[in-house]
Amino acid sequence: APPRILRPAPPSARRAAPSARESWQEHDSSTVYGRARSASRDAGESAADDYSTLDVHVSARAAAAVSSRRAALALAPPASEPSAAPLVARAEAALSARRGAEAERLFVDALARDRRCAAAWYGLAALLHEHQHGGLRDDAAASGGAARERLLAEATDFALVAARLEPAEPRALALLGDVLNDRGEHREACRAWRAAEERGRARWRAIAAGQPAGAFGPRAPLRALRVGESVALRRASGRPFVACRLAARPPVYVLEGFSTEEERAAIVEAAEAAPLRAVPLSEGGDDHDDRRGCEVAWLSSPCTSPASAWASLMLDAADVVLPRCGALPGAAEAEDLHVVRYAPGGSYGLHLDATFAVPRAVTVLHYLNDVPPDPERGEGFGGETWLPHAVASQSAETGGADNGRLTPGCDGVLVPPRAGDALVFFSFNEHGEVEPASLHAGRPASALKLVANQWIRLELSDRRGLVPRGPGFGPRVVS
Ligand SMILES: O=C(O)CCC(=O)C(=O)O
Ligand SMILES: [Fe+2]
């Protein structure tokens, strides 16, 4: 899940002087963060998506910011390529490979060709947001204080422009929420997230309506397994593994022996060489991030690095879990690999991986090392992944003692990290809705714990992608 780091935002100059109006600018009202101020909205009562209009101040600031970036980059005037699309595709690949400076040039260049290119505005906002989190190798991680504020202010404007230009898309508003949250503008962040969810829900309702049964669930043969049953399979690469079903709702599986030692070693090595970002313990502000004592890094998906040592791991896993459903746009697309390294004692509190705006249909959590049980505290303190509400039949009620409390080891599913295993669970139910029982946690680790999250989306509308493969792939039953 994207980290949300909260720091108090200094009162900043939010309103720059408006400059000349361009044709793509429309509204001229006094707004903050792209919406008209009104008493009821300020009280947070309205969840209406009023991001489909754009204030002239915001658009003027965004245009000025792009122009000054363009000047700073000393880009030649746009000439040869008439279309922004190829530039955006290259920029997205550069961003995924953490080449921030190159991504910036390309996005800015794309906007010089087409000022209405939503993907470029969104990409620039994502880039700046990631900069301030230190998730890029370039200079950016160093920027703190005022520089950080400036980056986030620009990211706010860019996300608002993108949200206006693609009114059916949730991604820009989800990002806007993250950016505002980072600025300490929590109420505004909530509005943006709510509006993103509204957009996402409408989108998934429409898509789900046209799907055959099971489109959102596990593919065969995982689908047919009952809880407690297992089946011996082979990865497309030929490696044998065993799939075992752990819960019915949500569908939860463990794929035993799925990754190879070489793949795990390569992931760990690359993550340590990548800009690992610490998720701080509190003090200075990360009270609201429910991770403790861990660091995170992103590694490129096979889309941008088809030759990476973990590309076939991700492709094979995508193949095993989701049905290839022609009507569903981009089924089996994955984000970049999200590596988490927990120090002893590190943990990740209960959370959902998916929202309508961030439709992570399936989580494949690759365990990269063995974590021993805690000799004193026992179950639930060995870095297990816990899904407290997971149940063994569709109709079963969630567990819990008389007091209604759920306990690791008694309730739900508790999966110990074992090198090579992959935990698979589905965050969308058969109706294409987010499944609340997919709530999960990383329990306190007794020792160093390394995992890699592979999030497979129903649709991949942001910069991270995995090239879908042709028909004919999929796990083979070992006879
Ligand atoms: O570390 C774990 O066991 C869970 C990690 C997780 O849920 C996440 O990174 O989203
Ligand atoms: Fe998670």
Side-chain angles (χ1 to χ4, degrees), residues 351-443:
H351 65 281
L352 296 169
D353 284 354
T355 65
F356 282 111
V358 184
R360 291 167 170 160
V362 190
T363 296
V364 182
L365 187 67
H366 299 279
Y367 296 112
L368 303 176
N369 71 333
D370 288 311
V371 183
D374 184 287
E376 269 131 48
R377 295 197 286 175
E379 265 193 335
F381 292 89
E384 300 93 336
T385 308
W386 184 35
L387 290 96
H389 296 279
V391 283
S393 82
Q394 280 301 333
S395 55
E397 288 284 328
T398 197
D402 287 348
N403 62 6
R405 294 230 166 166
L406 295 166
T407 316
C410 295
D411 300 301
V413 163
L414 191 66
V415 184
R418 293 208 186 100
D421 288 3
L423 171 67
V424 174
F425 60 87
F426 286 73
S427 291
F428 273 75
N429 69 17
E430 66 275 23
H431 310 297
E433 281 163 359
V434 176
E435 169 57 67
S438 65
L439 193 78
H440 61 282
R443 295 288 303 164

Side-chain angles (χ1 to χ4, degrees), residues 340 342 348 351 353 365 385 440 442 449 451 453 455:
V340 189
Y342 298 85
Y348 193 170
H351 65 281
D353 284 354
L365 187 67
T385 308
H440 61 282
K449 171 184 166 190
V451 296
N453 279 288
W455 286 305

